[in-house]
Amino acid sequence: MEFTLSLLINQRGCESVGKKRKKIIIFAGGILFLAAIICAVLFSINRKEEYRTIQIYKIEGSAAVDRDGVGSIDAYDGMMMQSGDTVCTDKESCLYFKMDEDKFALLEPESTVRMEASGTSTDSRTTFYLESGALVSRLDSKLSPKSVYDVNTPNSTMAVRGTIFRIEVTYDENGVSYTNVYVFDGTVECRLIFADGSVDEEAKQVQKGMVIRIRGDNTTSEYIVDNGTVDYGQLPAEVLRFLIAAIEEGNELPVSKEELEAVIAEKSEAAIAEIEKDPHEHSGGTATCISPAVCTSDDCGQTYGEKDAANHTGGTEIRDKTEATCAESGYTGDTYCLGCGEMIQAGSATEKDASNHVGGTEIRNRVAADCSRSGYTGDTYCRGCGEKLQAGSATQKDSSNHVGGTEIRNRIAADCSRAGYTGDTYCRGCGEKLRAGSATQKDSSNHVGGTEIRNRIAADCSRAGYTGDTYCRGCGEKLRVGSAIKKNTSNHTGGTTLRDSVEATCASAGYTGDTYCLGCGKKLQVGKAIKKNMSNHAGGTEVRDSVEATCASAGYTGDTYCLGCGKMIQTGSATEKDATNHVGGTEIRNSVAADCSTAGYTGDTYCLGCGEMIQAGSATEKDASNHVGGTEICNSFSAGCCSAGYTGDVFCRGCNTMIEQGRIIAATGNHPAAVCGAPGHHAHDGRIHAVANCGILGHCILDGNKHELAGCGMHCILDKGEHVHAECSVAGHFKCDGNKHAIPGCGEEKHCVSDGRDHNHASCNNQEHYNCDELDHSSASCGVEGHFNCDDRPHGENCNNPSDSNNPDAAK
């Protein structure tokens, strides 16, 4: 329930109510005892939820309270305030308010403030009207959505929801008002109040640690300091102590407790040098329940000593008085002091008053006599206790009382076309016909359906009019001829239009525009000038000083400025780092190049701004073209005078893969000539030459292919590899595939490896196996038929016959 602080209850008042309840319980007895307990509990709960308190909990020096209907009262510690009270502090005096246990205010010396308060402790509305001086406010709890806490000055109004701030009002010699707003914690919403009493629609948000200054005169109000910084050294000592108390209660301010204490110490050192103790002894005066005595010695006028709780001033009043009735006992009421609000004397219960019928009496069971039945006057009862005070009596039928009154039936109204009938009168209650009606003549003036105006023309600013002819709706007769109407210069047909209007903006004044008639074009009303509209920022807005957030640093949304007047409309705010906005480019780390023997790794991508890994790399397959570890030449051998050489193949040391194939080197040709019939082979021109018989000579084929050459004494294999040859009768090594092979004498078994496989061969005079084409071949001794497969063709004639057509080495 909402209320205005005209009645306040304090702790002592609650205790007094409890004492009164105990006395009622003693007098009431059994049932009333239980009822009184329930009422007391409900009363206590309702009081707790309904009432809020604003109290002066400490005064340093002296102050006065001006209260409606009472006048001026000396303020005192613990004094309960009422809505509408005006409080004034003396020079070098200050006063502290406590509101609803979580709001505090300091009224500084030589200050005047009026307060208005209503609501409950959970739905409070508090407004301070600061006329002069300074007021510091501290709200420890954030206000509920429906609660209000405002401070008004002659040129501005400040609204908060939970903060610590100071408002100071001063005047110059010309009466111009100045308001300083200091914000120590939270945010204060400030609006200008103009000379005509209107309030600026645009609110300024004053942030923590900032100061603004407002100037107001009889023409306008304006900000003259915008977002200054609080200088704690310029604040009074009592304000600094108030802020220290706020810090000790857990509030976070832009300044530390130690810094504030240091400022107070500097102020105290300067003040102590000027203070001299007054040896004067106070005397005289009378202490009361609300204030100490005032010294009358030597025109001192200072208060001294303690209050006198027994000397109640300002008169008394009776509260909670209850009148005894026929239904309930009463209560004489408690006597309270109007000065200090203390209960002086408790009241007492009174017995029921059987003669006091609360709410008067009422008639019950009344029955009205009518044309059809008798009646009853009714019984008299008390409304308060329900007691029957007097019985009623019966009444006879009333033939003149036709229940429900009378009604006219069969009425026919005469009009301009027919006669009528007045109708018969009947009783609604009994239905009896009380009186017959009579016929009436036609009524030429009664045009059925009324009349209507035809041919009406409205006169306006451009033409004359006509009132119109009057016709009967029933018979259609023209009853009255109309008349002409002069032009009506005030009737502007088609309405009006506004011309030459100019919208007021933050940069220029406006004009309401002139009013013209759309019918005749006449100017009906001249417009008027409009003062600048500071809330209408013409030309749009722009954001300045914005900073983009990156992965390495926070950003700033930028301040919003009006393009018309250049004024900053809204302050921007800091933004958090943007982990997705990587500046300064990127680099690849931990990459590994794939080569012919190992897989690689593409590397991880890192931001150069914040050092964060943006993307992990991936494994790559081996790169057969990237040969690491260098190369080596294999299978090379030099050319001889009659035999070709080979440059050798290039192999990778890492993967043992042949990178480049070698080429054949032609024979040098530097050899002794030999006749064709003598042993030897000649190859000078890249052609094949077959020489000598099979038992002695061999075959030489210098054509880049693999060949086995035999005489019986040795094997030659020109297969692009490096080979060591030894006579067949001695142990030797053959290296056709990079391996070593031991060969016994010609008459025993030996191993030949030309294709990576092992082969057993008998002596040259017996069967042997040759595998140059991955096939086995059985040959007889050299003097008999044998098989030689060096060119993928079979040969089956005597080896000693070089003219055999099947001999690949036969002369062509």
Side-chain angles (χ1 to χ4, degrees), residues 86 182 196 214 250 279 281 358 424-425 497 503 715 786 800-801 805:
T86 299
Y182 302 79
D196 60 1
I214 302 166
E281 294 183 3
V358 179
D424 304 319
T425 304
T497 185
E503 184 181 19
H715 289 273
N800 293 319
N801 187 359
S805 62

Side-chain angles (χ1 to χ4, degrees), residues 105-123:
L106 163 64
L107 187 62
E108 298 181 33
E110 294 187 294
S111 299
T112 300
V113 67
R114 178 172 60 87
M115 65 176 61
E116 290 184 1
S118 60
T120 67
S121 59
T122 56
D123 183 11

